[in-house]
Structures are given as C-alpha cells and as structure tokens.
C-alpha cells in the first residue's frame, strides 16, 4: 500500500492544482491531445453504397430503380418522400430533386410537393420521370451522402434546391450532446471557434462560424455534384433558396449580444429612437440610427437590419430594404443561439458563383419570387413561414425550374394555381399560424394567418377551437376531450400531443392562445371559457415561472435549460389567464446583473404595478395587482429590465473557455433573473 | 441560518433544505425531470423544496455540496493511469472539478458561499444528524465517493469524525454491482434484483466469491483486481471473473438458472459476513451502543437485518435516502453545525420531505373530461373505509397523499397498494403494473402497533429498510418472500395518520392491518410527483383506482383511449444515467 499511498498523495496534489476552471481547460486539452495521439479508430463507416436514404439502388430492365428498404422502418425515414418503389426511367428523362424540407414541400402533405408540381409541369413538356430525393431536416452531411450516390441513378437532370440548413450549428455545438472523445477531431471545431471568439469577440465568432461551419460542407456538396455530372453526364440546375425577408420578425428573446455598459445603453436608446421614428412616420431617420446600432453591436443583432428593412420598405427603397432584412436574417447565424433555417447571403453567393463557374443553369428564387411592388424583395405570399414556400410559391419556383430544364427563356412556363381547394389552403394557413407562434413571431402575424385561415376555410374553426381548449385546459391537458377528438387526426396529432405534454405554456404559446381567444370569441359569445367548468378555490396561486418542459426553461442560446427565468432580452413576459378580474398580489424573487441604481419596471398589461429596486443579489418584492389591471382571458405580466448586463469582456472570456472545453457558450446578455413569480388571486378564478 | 444541501453529477441528484438545523424539505431531481436517477444539478428540486419551506432563494445563506470535487478528480486521474488523462471518459467534460461550483452558480443561480464536505462525511452525517442519538458509531458503505468506499467514524455533540476508510477500488458496493452486471441486470438500479434472487439460491459459491474479496483485519478488505476493471466504460469485470466463478456471464435475455440464483445467494452471504465483521470492529473501536449507517449498501435491507440481529449494536438508525440523494441532507447538516456550532438532535421518523400539491386543477380537468370521482373532503373515515374495501375486494389502488417521500422507497405518499393476502396479487402486479421479474418480492406496510402480531420484529422499521420473518406466511403470500421473510414498513399513527387509518380499516375488514405497498411508478420511470403524474400513472399502470388526497377515481370510469394518449403525450423518459456499468468514472 505504501506505493499506492505515495501515488495517491501525488495525485491529490495534482488534482488540487487542476481543480479550478483553468485546470478544467488544461485537462480537456490534454484529453483532446491524447485522443488525437492514439487514435487508430476511424469514423463510423457510412452506409453501404447501394442505398440512398430509405431506398436501395437496384438495376432493372428499365434502368436503375429505387426499392424501399424493408430493413429500416426507422422514424427518420418519415423525413423522406413516402414513395415506396421508383421504377427505372425507361425512355423518360430522369429528373432528380435534392434538397431539404423546403424542397420536400413541408408542411404540405405528399399530395402537394415541389417534385409533384414539377412532374406535372414537365409532363406537359415531354417524357420525364421526377424522383424526389429531398429530405426534411437534411444538413450538409445528408446532402453530401445523396450527392455522392446520385450518379448511380443515371439521372439526366439533377435539381439542387438546398442551402437553408447550412447555417445551422452542427450537433456538437448544440444541446444535442457534449463534444465526445468518440471522434478524433473531437474538439477541433470548438477550439477554432473559441480562439476566434477570444480574439474577435462575438463578431469574430460569427466570421469563424461562416468559414469553418457553413461554407466547407456547402463547397463539398457542390464538388460532389460536379463529380456526379462528370460520372453520368447529368445536367445540374441550382435553385438558390430565398428567405421571407419581409414576413419575418426577429424573435423577442434575442436582441443583441452582450455589450459594454455605455454601448448597451446607447444601443437601446437608438433602438427606441428608431422605433419612435417608425411609429411617427419619419422612416427617413431610421437608416442612420440603424447604422449606428450595428456599429455598436458589431453586426451581431438582428434588430437594426430589421428596423432598416421596415423603414426602407416605407421609403420605397427596395435595395436598401433587402440590405436591411438580409442583415437581420444573417446576424444571428454563427452566434450559437437558436434560429430557424435560412439561406444566408454567403450561401446564396456561393451557389450563384459556383453555378456560374461551371456553366450550370441557376434558378434564383430571389428573382423568381420577387414582389410586384418592390422587386428587390420577395412577395410574402410565396412563403409558408420563413424559408418554406406556400403552395403558390412552390408553383412559381417549379415553373422556373421547368423553364431551366426545358431550356426555355425565364417566365415561359406559367405557374400553376396551387392547392385547388380553399379547405386545404385554410388548413395549411392555420398550421402556419401555430408554427409561427412557436417560432416567436408577433401576435399580429399569428392572428392574421388565423383570420385568413378562417376566411378561406370555415371548417378549420372546430380544429382551432379544440387547439385553444387544449392550450387553456387544466393540467394534465391530455385529459381534455379536445385531445381525444384530435388524437385520431394524423396531421395535427404530433402538434397537439406536444401541446398537451407541456406542464406549462411558454410565452409563445400564450400568444397563440390569446390570438385564438380573440378570433374565436367574436362569434361564440355564449361559449363559456374552457376553464370555467369546475370549482374555484377561494384563493388561487399562479406560478408564473412554471417551466414548459420537464428539463426547465429552454434558453435562446444552447445553454442548459434553467429551472428559473433568464431575461436575455430587456423585456420578460409571463402569461396567465383569469376568468374574471380580481385583486391579486404578485410576489417576485429576482436579481439583476449589476446593482447600479436603475430599477426594473413591472406591468400587468398596460398598468404599471411598480418597480423592482436594483439588486445584484436575490431579493423579494410584493406588488399589488388591482382588479382593473386584469381582463378576462389571457393577461401578461411584463418586467422591463434596465439596459445593463454583466461585463461583456468577462463573458467573452468565459464563453471562449466554455467553448474550448466543449460546453455551450452563453453569448447573450443577461438583464435579470426571476426565481419565483407567484400571483395570488384573492377570489381565484385564474389558471 | 438556511442551508441548502446538494448532491449531484453522479446519480440521484437531490436537494435538502435546513432551516436553523431543522430539515424542512428534501427531494430528488428525477421526480421533476421524470428521468430516473437524474444526475443533473437539482435546480427544480431546489425550487420545489424552497417553496415547500415557504422560502425563496433570497433566503439561502449557504449551499453545502456533498463531495470534494478536487478529491474526486484525484481519483479520476488515478483511474486514467498510466494513460493519463485519456483513459475512461467518454466526453471531454468528465475531468472537471470546477463543474459543481460552476453549475451551482449557473444552473441553481446561487452566488453565495458554497462549502463542500466529502462524500462519505455527507453519507455519515445524513445518518447521524437524523438518528436522534446523542452519540453514535458511524458506518458508510457505497460504490465509491472520491477515494472512499467504506468509512468508520463517531458522531457526537462535536459533530462527526471518520477515523478509517477503505479506498477505491476495494469496494463492497462495486463488488455487488459487478456481480449484478455479471448476472445480466442493470447496475445502479437492479442490485435489488440480486438481493431478491438470493433466497431462491443456495450458498454453494461462497468459496469462489470469497476469493474475489479478501476480508482483512480491522476495517479493511481487498477486491482481487485481476477479476474487476472499473475504469472502462464497457463493463465492470474482466474475463478472469468468469473463470473464477465457473460460468460465463448471463446475457440480459437469457433465462435465470439455479446457478445464477446460487451466485446471488453467495454474494449476498459474503457481503453480510464482511459487514457483520466490520460492524463488530466498529463497535470495538467506538464502544458505542448506537449505529448510524448510510451509503448505497445500506439499502440492502437483508444485510441490514443481519446487522440488527447478529451485530453488536443495540440501537440502529439507517438513513431512508441511504444512497447518494441523502448526501444532500448530510452535507447541509455538517455545514449548519460547523457554521453555527449547534445542531438539532431529533430522530427522523417521516421520510415525506418533498413537495405537496393540491388537487384543484386535477379536479377541474376531470370535470371537463366528464370523469366521475368521489370527493371525501372532510370525511377521512369514509375515504379509508372505502379504499380498504376496494383493496380487500382485490383491487389495486394508487395512493397519492400529501408530501412526497425522499429516498427510493414509496412509504404511503406515492404508493401502489394491494391486498397482501391474494395468492395471485404478486403475479398480477408484476404482469400489469410493475412489469418486473416474478422473483422480486413486494413489501408490506403494517400498522406499527400490530407489527409484532404478524412479523418477528421488535423494532420500528419506518423506512422499509429492514426485513423480518412473517409469522404466518400462508396468510400473506403476496408480501412473503420465498424464505418466509418480508421487507416491511411499520406505520405509526402519529407519523402518518391517514395511511395508518387505512391500514387499520383494512385490518378491521380482514383481520390484517397490512397492505402490499410498492412504489407508484411504471418500470423505468421515477416515482410520481404531481397529481398529473399520478393520473398518468393510473392509466399507464392499469391500476383499478386512484386515491389522490381526498378524491377517488376508478380506471373503469376513464375514457378508454387515454391509455394510447398518455403513451404519446407523456412517454416514459429514458433514465438519467447509464446502467451497463457503474457510472462513476
Ligand atoms: Fe455514495
């Protein structure tokens, strides 16, 4: 034991030296180095070469066929076209479509897809076979997998409609899992990004992300397409994806990255000024304000570009509006925060330049989907949401692809009319409304789509009413009869099941509920509120910080969910509902990052309830909520935090250290935290 | 002074709140995240515990952490030798002694003073400070905490002191887990199965098992390292173990043979003999009549009964959350004692330390769904009479009452109850509710003052950590193990009035104030926490009825499609830790 004892004493001493955060960095780097040194293993072998997604490539007398693989009834295969077997093309020209969810036509069902629309157009032009190899959620790796094998299908034309997912962070950089030692390149990407962050702050992180994450797989994919052309002689058509620039509002929980105190105050002052200029109809003042904001945030905020886009649209300056909206769209990409799929400018440029250099025809949706009033911007009606196309958008895009395939001048093929019946269109609009609410879009946008859905298809009303009832149901919400009614509907069930599973509503779903309440209340005044069916205790307490997920509150960055509320934007909102207004008391346990003297303001709806005194340590406050501050239905408690966050230099260092160790970075400013917020209603009729 | 104890980042994360030395709340994080054995920082448990204590985070004076991160790191580094530091970890974050402090700051949101105590100090303190003893001998035994696997100590007015320890890799917990794994069961969770299997076997392999672990003089013992390997993520033993034992390891889906039963019996026997030898040593060293005992091995209630019957101590206290969750209590108690110089001497008699929830929202949901239920508000006598009658008629009932238990056992707050007299009750429960192996016994709860009439037990067993012979095994087949024993809970009217009243009502009907009491959860799922979880449990576990506080509902009255809906909406989440190997690397 003596030898053991000496060794143990030595290791205890070593551990003491390595016990702090710097020690963790050292140990992580040593593990990484050791992993690289003795790596003799290879990456997991890729699927055998005769498979593409859920199909096996098989020769047939009519040419190469695709047969559904019986061995993998795996759920991921729902991301692919449900077509079972694709026969050989025979004498027909074979057109293969590659891409992501936008190319699959999400969220339209198999009855209406870009490949289907394209096939319809081409049928009028000659003998074509359209093969849909697009995959919902496909990332660069998935696309390369298909591009590597597509030549084996002996296509005549390969249509690539891809690029929306390339700016999303890969799994190692998100909550999908920590960086593991399983891969020899383990932490290389983390280290590259961490170094860029340490050297260049958040703007440096964005740039490094673009060069290290976004573009390399995109280039590899295009190289593979070029190789496929070499192999089989297929013509390649590149579709450049477009984003719903005018129809997208940056979600409210990401405003800017952490900034130095004075810059942050200035930034928010400029923002307020720009917003006033817009509301007071002085859009000409906005561009200069937005430019100054972007100088302060280093291009890392989606807000100045959006303000610029709105102002320039009003001014009728399409080019400037595009510049603003594009900046807004691209600003968050690479910040390791959550954002929806989108093709960023660098990707669009790469697609165009690569196609040009190789002489490939290019269908640029920026032109194809242009609006009549401002041709620099796409028409919103072409979009289902942010990057997915509406039925009419799909028609326009595929008519342009038909022109390219048939070598006709652009505009020769007339787009089809889209979905033939108002019913499915209304249904898709309702679905878009719910989806956009989930994605943090403002109530107006959600309400507008819901209203349009009801106008087009009055038959969606029962579905919307059921959805509202599930949102309003006492917990567990899965007990509600509406859930039982909807359980049989394969199209809506995944969405409803997710709603019914939530232990509490997120602010986004409170927005959806509130919009549904407004719209449905119009002509069903006799309908009792969904919660008004049981007993009401004399007093009722509402936990405003109840988490919508068993793991806690998801944050807009990829940091672990928290059990309490983190304000990454200056405004925190907490939704709740009451059947009838009563007096209440709001008790809040909160803290702010600095104790510099500014108070936070607390509102219930438009009524100011009072202030939270500045406190860098946890403090508790009680505020009275008068009856007339409440209204029947959905209400909001809003906290507006002072424009102060932790020292950004320290945060950049901590984030770089975290990234270097394979942990998520925080990136965003933290304006305040709420550990408890309880509303005690005196004659409780809330929920 | 308000001290929050935290155990986390290992398995079974938990939080405990001490107000001026008084334990006011404790809960495991798994109950909230719904992932069994959740190791994550107990952020939700802390919110719930503070809430239960009428506190906010602003009131917290100290956080006490249940192990020394630097000491753990030194042991991890040792495990990496000679390839330091590349061996063992699957991901880069494993060697990170800053993690507890960082996550207490970031995930719990606590910036105040954080103090750590060692893992076995936390275990020992969790037993001593809850024992009510003025002074006591202390024993801890688990798989490993930092370097320590077993420790011996004393507790008294000055606090606790551990005077000897056994160091990793020599560990009774790891020996038992390795054999559990060898027998084809999940470690960290299925050690109970080995204990349950043991009475079916004969101690024919004791000689072979004894070659695996050498009992040394004093407090020490040694595992033969040629048979074990605790540094790989794949398995816990080497090929040599198979040669030594004389048979290959059992695969998960293979049938359990007599050989497997004999091995279970033999390892249980060897464990008990070593423990008995060590408590005798501890008694000699301390001269105390009292034993306070904790650590994962203290959940082996068969061994506990041997210590009680055949050991040298006259009074025993075993911590109900004897595993790592309980470390949260111990850490908080040590820090409180150190910081204030005082502690509260009181015996813990009630493990219901978690949050309670009201049923108003559940009732509104049932009303909307048109599900009938009976309300017994203000009529407790009728409630227990009706539930007792249902159980006597062969029904299986979910019993959800008041504050949630702390620790792995359901003790009448989140329980499934059934008739202990039914010949097929065990098979029925195993097949439908618990979906577990038929050999695992179920446990009885008995009205404390009648325990002696039915069981050979002369002490209280409030936490189901003791076993006793059943006087008339034929009368209680559902809770009597093959060897005629039962792992029982004695229920005191002064501690849990309503549960005691139910037992008494059942006794009035049947002559037996005894109920089969098993935890309210489906296989692989943590015990239910909220009334919503309980309703899902009623549906999922196919119970006949559910008593939630003052209301009773019957599964026959539920919409038939709820079963499919619950599976879709609230599927059982996968566990929080791997179960192939003991996850301590
Ligand atoms: Fe332990």
């Amino acid at each position: 034991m003596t030898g053991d004892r000496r060794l143990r004493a030595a290791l205890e001493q070593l551990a003491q030296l390595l016990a702090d955060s710097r020690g963790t960095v050292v140990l992580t780097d040593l593990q990484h180095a050791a992993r690289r040194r003795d790596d003799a293993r290879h990456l997991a072998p890729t699927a055998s070469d005769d498979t593409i997604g859920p199909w096996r490539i098989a020769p047939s007398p009519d040419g190469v066929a695709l047969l559904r693989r019986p061995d993998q009834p795996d759920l991921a295969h729902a991301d692919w076209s449900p077509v079972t077997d694709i026969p050989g093309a025979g004498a027909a020209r074979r057109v293969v479509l590659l891409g992501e969810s936008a190319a699959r036509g999400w969220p339209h069902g198999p009855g209406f897809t870009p490949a289907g629309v394209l096939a319809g157009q081409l049928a009028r032009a000659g003998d074509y076979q359209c093969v849909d190899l697009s995959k919902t959620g496909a990332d660069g790796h998935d696309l390369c997998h298909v591009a590597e094998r597509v030549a084996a299908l002996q296509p005549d034309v390969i249509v690539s409609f891809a690029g929306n997912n390339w700016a999303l962070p890969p799994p190692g950089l998100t909550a999908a899992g920590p960086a593991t030692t399983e891969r020899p390149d383990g932490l290389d990407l983390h280290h590259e990004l961490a170094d860029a962050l340490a050297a260049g702050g958040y703007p440096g992180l964005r740039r490094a992300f673009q060069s290290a994450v976004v573009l390399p797989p995109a280039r590899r994919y295009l190289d593979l397409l070029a190789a496929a052309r070499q192999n089989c002689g297929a013509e390649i058509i590149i579709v450049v994806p477009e984003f719903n620039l005018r129809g997208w509002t940056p979600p409210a929980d990401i405003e800017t990255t952490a900034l130095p105190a004075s810059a942050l105050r200035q930034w928010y002052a400029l923002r307020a000024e720009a917003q006033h200029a817009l509301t007071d109809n002085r859009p000409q003042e906005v561009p200069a304000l937005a430019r100054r904001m972007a100088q302060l945030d280093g291009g890392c905020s989606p807000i100045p570009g959006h303000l610029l886009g709105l102002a320039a649209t009003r001014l009728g300056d399409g080019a400037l509006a595009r510049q603003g909206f594009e900046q807004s769209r691209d600003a968050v990409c690479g910040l390791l925060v959550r954002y929806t799929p989108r093709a960023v400018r660098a990707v669009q440029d790469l697609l165009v330049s690569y196609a040009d250099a190789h002489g490939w025809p290019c269908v640029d949706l920026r032109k194809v989907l242009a609006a009549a009033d401002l041709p620099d911007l796409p028409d919103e009606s072409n979009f289902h949401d942010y990057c997915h196309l509406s039925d009419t958008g799909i028609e326009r895009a595929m008519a342009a692809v038909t022109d390219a395939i048939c070598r006709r001048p652009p505009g020769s093929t007339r787009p089809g009319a889209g979905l033939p019946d108002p019913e499915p269109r209304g249904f898709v609009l309702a679905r878009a409304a719910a989806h956009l609410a989930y994605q943090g879009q403002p109530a107006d946008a959600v309400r507008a789509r819901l209203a349009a859905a009801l106008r087009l298809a009055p038959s969606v009303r029962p579905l919307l009413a059921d959805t509202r009832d599930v949102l309003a149901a006492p917990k567990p919400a899965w007990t509600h009869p509406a859930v039982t009614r909807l359980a049989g509907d394969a199209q809506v069930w995944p969405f409803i099941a997710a709603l019914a599973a939530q232990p509490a509503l997120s602010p986004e779903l409170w927005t959806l509920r509130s919009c549904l309440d407004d719209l449905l209340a119009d002509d069903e005044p006799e309908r009792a509120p969904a919660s008004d069916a049981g007993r009401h205790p004399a007093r009722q307490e509402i936990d405003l910080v109840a988490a919508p997920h068993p793991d806690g509150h998801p944050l807009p960055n990829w940091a672990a969910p928290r059990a309490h509320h983190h304000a990454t934007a200056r405004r925190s909102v907490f939704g709740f509902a009451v059947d009838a207004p009563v007096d209440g008391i709001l008790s809040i346990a909160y803290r702010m990052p600095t104790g510099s003297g500014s108070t936070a303001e607390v509102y219930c709806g438009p009524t100011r309830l009072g202030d939270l005194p500045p406190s860098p340590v946890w403090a508790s406050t009680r505020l009275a909520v008068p009856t007339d501050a409440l209204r029947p239905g959905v209400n909001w408690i809003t906290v507006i935090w002072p424009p102060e966050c932790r020292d950004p230099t320290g945060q950049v260092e901590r984030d770089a250290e975290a990234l270097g160790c394979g942990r998520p970075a925080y990136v965003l400013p933290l304006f305040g935290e709420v550990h408890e917020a309880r509303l005690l209603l005196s004659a409780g009729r809330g929920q | 002074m308000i001290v929050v104890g935290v155990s986390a980042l290992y398995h079974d994360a938990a939080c405990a709140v001490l107000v001026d030395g008084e334990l006011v709340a404790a809960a495991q994080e798994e109950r909230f995240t719904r992932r069994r054995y959740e190791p994550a920082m107990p952020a939700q448990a802390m919110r719930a515990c503070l809430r239960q204590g009428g506190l906010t985070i602003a009131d917290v004076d100290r956080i006490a952490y249940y192990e020394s991160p630097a000491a753990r790191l030194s042991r991890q580094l040792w495990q990496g030798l000679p390839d330091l530091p590349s061996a063992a970890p699957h991901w880069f974050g494993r060697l990170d002694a800053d993690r507890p402090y960082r996550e207490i700051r970031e995930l719990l949101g606590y910036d105040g003073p954080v103090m750590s105590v060692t893992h076995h100090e936390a275990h020992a303190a969790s037993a001593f400070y809850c024992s009510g003893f003025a002074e006591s001998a202390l024993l801890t035994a688990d798989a490993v905490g930092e370097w320590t696997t077993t420790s011996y100590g004393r507790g008294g007015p000055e606090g606790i002191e551990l005077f000897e320890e056994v160091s990793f890799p020599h560990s009774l917990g790891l020996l038992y887990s390795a054999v559990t794994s060898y027998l084809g069961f999940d470690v960290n969770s299925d050690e109970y199965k080995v204990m349950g299997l043991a009475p079916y076997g004969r101690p024919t392999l004791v000689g072979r098992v004894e070659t695996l672990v050498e009992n040394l003089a004093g407090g020490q013992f040694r595992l033969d390292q040629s048979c074990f390997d605790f540094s790989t993520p794949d398995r816990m033993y080497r090929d040599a173990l198979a040669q030594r034992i004389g048979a290959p390891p059992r695969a998960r889906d293979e049938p359990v043979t007599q050989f497997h039963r004999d091995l279970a019996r033999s390892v249980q026997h060897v464990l008990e003999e070593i423990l008995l030898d060590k408590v005798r040593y501890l008694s000699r060293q301390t001269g105390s009549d009292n034993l306070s005992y904790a650590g994962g091995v203290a959940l082996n209630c068969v061994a506990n009964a041997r210590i009680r019957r055949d050991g040298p101590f006259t009074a025993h206290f075993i911590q109900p959350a004897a595993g790592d969750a309980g470390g949260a209590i111990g850490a908080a108690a040590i820090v409180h004692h150190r910081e204030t110089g005082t502690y509260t001497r009181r015996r813990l008699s009630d493990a219901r330390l978690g949050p309670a929830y009201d049923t108003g929202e559940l009732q509104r949901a049932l009303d909307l769904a048109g599900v009938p239920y009976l309300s017994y508000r203000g009529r407790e006598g009728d409630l227990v009479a009706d539930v007792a009658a249902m159980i006597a008629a062969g029904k299986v009932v979910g019993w959800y009452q008041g504050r949630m238990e702390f620790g792995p056992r359901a003790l009448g707050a989140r329980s499934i109850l059934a008739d202990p007299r039914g010949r097929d009750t065990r098979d029925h429960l195993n097949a439908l509710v618990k979906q577990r192996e038929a050999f695992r016994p179920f446990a009885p709860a008995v009205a404390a003052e009648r325990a002696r009439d039915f069981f050979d037990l002369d002490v209280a067993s409030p936490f189901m950590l003791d076993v006793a012979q059943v006087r008339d095994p034929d009368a209680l087949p559902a809770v009597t193990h093959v060897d005629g024993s039962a792992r029982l809970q004695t229920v005191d009217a002064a501690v849990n009035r309503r549960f005691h009243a139910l037992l008494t009502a059942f006794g009035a009907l049947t002559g037996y104030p005894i109920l089969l009491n098993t935890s309210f959860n489906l296989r692989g799922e943590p015990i239910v926490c909220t009334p919503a979880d309980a309703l899902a449990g009623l549906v999922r576990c196919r119970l006949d009825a559910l008593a939630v506080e003052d209301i009773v509902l019957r599964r026959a009255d539920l919409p038939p499609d709820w079963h499919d809906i619950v599976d879709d909406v609230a599927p059982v989440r996968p566990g929080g830790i791997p179960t192939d190997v003991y996850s301590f690397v």
Side-chain angles (χ1 to χ4, degrees), chain B residues 42-126:
Chain B
Q44 302 193 61
M46 184 168 99
R47 266 191 95 230
C49 286
L50 289 172
R51 176 76 202 143
Q52 183 66 38
L55 305 165
T56 75
I57 192 168
D59 302 315
V60 177
D61 296 304
R62 302 279 187 280
I63 279 188
Y65 191 65
Y66 82 132
E67 75 172 358
S68 158
R72 177 188 184 173
L73 177 63
S74 68
R75 192 257 303 152
Q76 289 175 309
L77 292 174
W78 182 83
Q79 277 183 277
L81 293 173
D83 293 326
L84 186 85
S86 65
H90 325 276
W91 51 280
F92 292 103
R94 273 286 166 92
L95 302 177
D96 184 354
D98 186 45
R99 187 175 177 200
Y101 301 111
R102 186 178 66 241
E103 293 196 350
I104 285 171
R105 232 171 25 242
E106 293 182 355
L107 300 183
L108 299 188
Y110 183 74
D111 267 338
V114 178
M115 303 167 133
S116 67
V117 306
T118 70
H119 188 92
H120 281 259
E121 280 175 343
H123 274 315
S126 77

Side-chain angles (χ1 to χ4, degrees), chain A residues 528-606:
Chain A
S531 60
D532 195 15
R535 66 225 62 244
H536 295 287
R539 280 155 32 108
Q540 190 167 2
E541 201 175 68
I542 298 172
D543 178 2
L544 296 173
V545 188
H549 190 272
D551 289 336
H553 297 270
L555 290 169
N557 49 37
W558 289 104
R562 300 300 205 265
H564 65 283
H565 171 77
H566 272 213
T568 55
R570 276 189 61 204
R571 179 186 292 263
S572 296
V573 292
F574 304 94
F576 63 99
V578 295
D579 293 339
V582 287
D583 282 344
I585 297 283
L586 174 67
S587 53
I588 298 189
Y590 68 96
R591 68 177 176 184
M592 301 166 184
T594 65
S596 68
S598 312
T599 56
E601 298 161 13
V602 184
Y603 295 83
C604 181

Side-chain angles (χ1 to χ4, degrees), chain A residues 8 15 21 24 31 34 180-181 475 484 493 501 535 541 543 550-551 562 591 618 663 675-676 678, chain B residues 35 44 47 51 57 86 89-90 92 96 98 102 106 109 111 165 167 361 367 373 561 568-569 573:
Chain A
R8 175 167 162 183
S21 64
T24 301
Q31 285 172 85
T180 71
T181 55
K475 306 293 178 252
T484 304
W493 178 236
R535 66 225 62 244
E541 201 175 68
D543 178 2
D551 289 336
R562 300 300 205 265
R591 68 177 176 184
W618 291 108
R663 300 194 305 267
H675 203 265
E676 277 289 353
R678 282 176 189 270
Chain B
R35 268 196 303 257
Q44 302 193 61
R47 266 191 95 230
R51 176 76 202 143
I57 192 168
S86 65
H90 325 276
F92 292 103
D96 184 354
D98 186 45
R102 186 178 66 241
E106 293 182 355
D111 267 338
E165 62 162 43
S167 286
E361 191 167 15
D367 291 342
Y373 55 86
D561 44 11
D568 273 6
V569 170
R573 304 188 82 191

Side-chain angles (χ1 to χ4, degrees), chain B residues 20-32:
Chain B
D20 297 330
E22 205 65 66
L23 177 58
V24 300
Q28 289 139 278
E29 186 71 357
E30 63 162 20
R31 307 291 165 86
F32 304 91

Side-chain angles (χ1 to χ4, degrees), chain B residues 10-11 66 119-120 123 142-145 295-296 322-324 582:
Chain B
Y10 209 32
H11 17 83
Y66 82 132
H119 188 92
H120 281 259
H123 274 315
D142 66 1
V144 63
D324 285 347
Y582 203 87

